[in-house]
Amino acid sequence: MRKIKLVILSITLLLALNLPPVGADSRPLTDQQLGILVGLAVDSHWVRQESASQSLVYGIVTPADQVPVGVSRDDSYLVARDGDAPTVVYYRLGGQQVYVSYPAAGKHHLRTVKFTVRQLRHRFFRTAAQRRQVNALVSKLQTE
C-alpha cells in the first residue's frame, strides 16, 4: 500500500511540475523538424511521396520572394520541387502556436490553420520510431 501511495505522489508531483514523462524527447525541435511535423499534419502522403523522390525543399521566405497575402517575411516553408504547380506549405512559430498556411484544394487562396507544438509532438513525434521517421524525412530535405 505504501508503494502505491509513493507512485501516486510521484505522478502527482510530475503533473504539478509539468515535467515530461521519462523517455519523452523534450528537446526543442529544429525548424526543419517542425516543418516535417507540419507537413505530416497537412498531408502526410504528400510529405512521404515528395521525400521519397528527393523533391521536398525547405526554406525561409526572404524579402525578395513573391508570396501570397498572409505569408510574412521569415515564415518557413516546405515546397515540392517537381510538378507543374508546386505545393507550398508555409509555417511560423509564435510561442507554442504554429501558424500554417497552404493552398486549399482547387482554390486560389490559402487555408490557414493553427496547431500547438504539443499537438504536433503528440501526434507525430512521441515514440522513438516516430522520432526516427521524422529525422529520416528531415535528412532528405533539400534546401534553397
Short mmCIF file of all heavy atoms in Angstrom, two decimals, residues 23-25 27 124-136:
data_model
loop_
_atom_site.label_atom_id
_atom_site.label_comp_id
_atom_site.label_asym_id
_atom_site.label_seq_id
_atom_site.Cartn_x
_atom_site.Cartn_y
_atom_site.Cartn_z
N GLY A 23 11.60 9.29 -20.67
CA GLY A 23 11.70 8.74 -22.01
C GLY A 23 11.16 9.67 -23.08
O GLY A 23 11.40 9.47 -24.25
N ALA A 24 10.43 10.72 -22.71
CA ALA A 24 9.90 11.64 -23.70
C ALA A 24 11.02 12.56 -24.18
O ALA A 24 11.88 12.96 -23.42
CB ALA A 24 8.76 12.46 -23.12
N ASP A 25 11.00 12.88 -25.46
CA ASP A 25 12.00 13.78 -26.02
C ASP A 25 11.48 15.20 -25.88
O ASP A 25 10.58 15.61 -26.59
CB ASP A 25 12.24 13.43 -27.49
CG ASP A 25 13.41 14.19 -28.08
OD1 ASP A 25 13.95 15.09 -27.40
OD2 ASP A 25 13.78 13.88 -29.21
N ARG A 27 13.52 17.93 -26.01
CA ARG A 27 14.43 18.90 -26.63
C ARG A 27 13.67 19.75 -27.63
O ARG A 27 12.71 19.29 -28.25
CB ARG A 27 15.56 18.17 -27.35
CG ARG A 27 16.53 17.47 -26.40
CD ARG A 27 17.51 16.68 -27.17
NE ARG A 27 16.79 15.50 -27.65
CZ ARG A 27 17.34 14.45 -28.23
NH1 ARG A 27 18.62 14.44 -28.46
NH2 ARG A 27 16.63 13.43 -28.61
N PHE A 124 2.94 13.14 -33.94
CA PHE A 124 3.95 12.66 -34.89
C PHE A 124 5.36 12.47 -34.32
O PHE A 124 6.26 12.05 -35.05
CB PHE A 124 4.07 13.64 -36.07
CG PHE A 124 2.80 13.85 -36.80
CD1 PHE A 124 2.10 15.04 -36.69
CD2 PHE A 124 2.27 12.86 -37.62
CE1 PHE A 124 0.92 15.25 -37.38
CE2 PHE A 124 1.09 13.06 -38.31
CZ PHE A 124 0.41 14.26 -38.19
N PHE A 125 5.61 12.81 -33.05
CA PHE A 125 6.97 12.81 -32.55
C PHE A 125 7.05 12.28 -31.13
O PHE A 125 7.89 12.66 -30.34
CB PHE A 125 7.51 14.26 -32.59
CG PHE A 125 9.00 14.39 -32.67
CD1 PHE A 125 9.68 14.05 -33.82
CD2 PHE A 125 9.72 14.90 -31.62
CE1 PHE A 125 11.06 14.20 -33.90
CE2 PHE A 125 11.10 15.06 -31.69
CZ PHE A 125 11.76 14.70 -32.84
N ARG A 126 6.13 11.38 -30.79
CA ARG A 126 6.03 10.88 -29.42
C ARG A 126 6.93 9.67 -29.17
O ARG A 126 7.66 9.63 -28.21
CB ARG A 126 4.57 10.54 -29.11
CG ARG A 126 4.30 10.16 -27.69
CD ARG A 126 2.83 9.97 -27.46
NE ARG A 126 2.18 9.64 -28.72
CZ ARG A 126 1.15 8.85 -28.87
NH1 ARG A 126 0.60 8.32 -27.83
NH2 ARG A 126 0.63 8.59 -30.03
N THR A 127 6.87 8.70 -30.04
CA THR A 127 7.62 7.46 -29.83
C THR A 127 8.99 7.54 -30.49
O THR A 127 9.24 8.38 -31.36
CB THR A 127 6.87 6.25 -30.41
OG1 THR A 127 6.86 6.36 -31.84
CG2 THR A 127 5.44 6.16 -29.88
N ALA A 128 9.87 6.65 -30.08
CA ALA A 128 11.21 6.60 -30.68
C ALA A 128 11.11 6.33 -32.18
O ALA A 128 11.85 6.91 -32.98
CB ALA A 128 12.05 5.54 -29.99
N ALA A 129 10.19 5.46 -32.58
CA ALA A 129 10.02 5.15 -34.01
C ALA A 129 9.55 6.39 -34.78
O ALA A 129 10.03 6.65 -35.89
CB ALA A 129 9.02 4.01 -34.19
N GLN A 130 8.64 7.15 -34.20
CA GLN A 130 8.17 8.37 -34.86
C GLN A 130 9.30 9.39 -34.98
O GLN A 130 9.46 10.03 -36.02
CB GLN A 130 7.00 8.99 -34.09
CG GLN A 130 5.71 8.23 -34.21
CD GLN A 130 4.64 8.81 -33.29
OE1 GLN A 130 4.91 9.21 -32.15
NE2 GLN A 130 3.41 8.85 -33.79
N ARG A 131 10.10 9.54 -33.94
CA ARG A 131 11.21 10.48 -33.98
C ARG A 131 12.23 10.07 -35.04
O ARG A 131 12.74 10.91 -35.79
CB ARG A 131 11.86 10.60 -32.60
CG ARG A 131 10.97 11.33 -31.59
CD ARG A 131 11.69 11.65 -30.30
NE ARG A 131 12.14 10.49 -29.56
CZ ARG A 131 11.42 9.83 -28.65
NH1 ARG A 131 10.19 10.22 -28.37
NH2 ARG A 131 11.92 8.79 -28.02
N ARG A 132 12.49 8.77 -35.15
CA ARG A 132 13.41 8.28 -36.19
C ARG A 132 12.85 8.59 -37.57
O ARG A 132 13.59 9.02 -38.47
CB ARG A 132 13.65 6.77 -36.04
CG ARG A 132 14.67 6.42 -34.99
CD ARG A 132 15.10 4.96 -35.08
NE ARG A 132 13.99 4.02 -34.97
CZ ARG A 132 13.51 3.55 -33.82
NH1 ARG A 132 14.04 3.93 -32.67
NH2 ARG A 132 12.51 2.70 -33.80
N GLN A 133 11.55 8.36 -37.76
CA GLN A 133 10.93 8.62 -39.06
C GLN A 133 11.00 10.10 -39.42
O GLN A 133 11.36 10.46 -40.54
CB GLN A 133 9.47 8.15 -39.07
CG GLN A 133 8.80 8.42 -40.41
CD GLN A 133 7.32 8.12 -40.39
OE1 GLN A 133 6.67 8.28 -39.38
NE2 GLN A 133 6.80 7.72 -41.52
N VAL A 134 10.68 10.97 -38.47
CA VAL A 134 10.74 12.41 -38.73
C VAL A 134 12.16 12.83 -39.05
O VAL A 134 12.41 13.56 -40.02
CB VAL A 134 10.17 13.21 -37.53
CG1 VAL A 134 10.52 14.70 -37.64
CG2 VAL A 134 8.66 13.03 -37.44
N ASN A 135 13.12 12.35 -38.29
CA ASN A 135 14.51 12.71 -38.54
C ASN A 135 15.01 12.17 -39.87
O ASN A 135 15.83 12.82 -40.54
CB ASN A 135 15.40 12.27 -37.38
CG ASN A 135 15.13 13.10 -36.14
OD1 ASN A 135 14.77 14.28 -36.22
ND2 ASN A 135 15.30 12.50 -34.97
N ALA A 136 14.52 11.02 -40.29
CA ALA A 136 14.87 10.48 -41.62
C ALA A 136 14.29 11.38 -42.71
O ALA A 136 14.97 11.64 -43.71
CB ALA A 136 14.35 9.05 -41.77
#
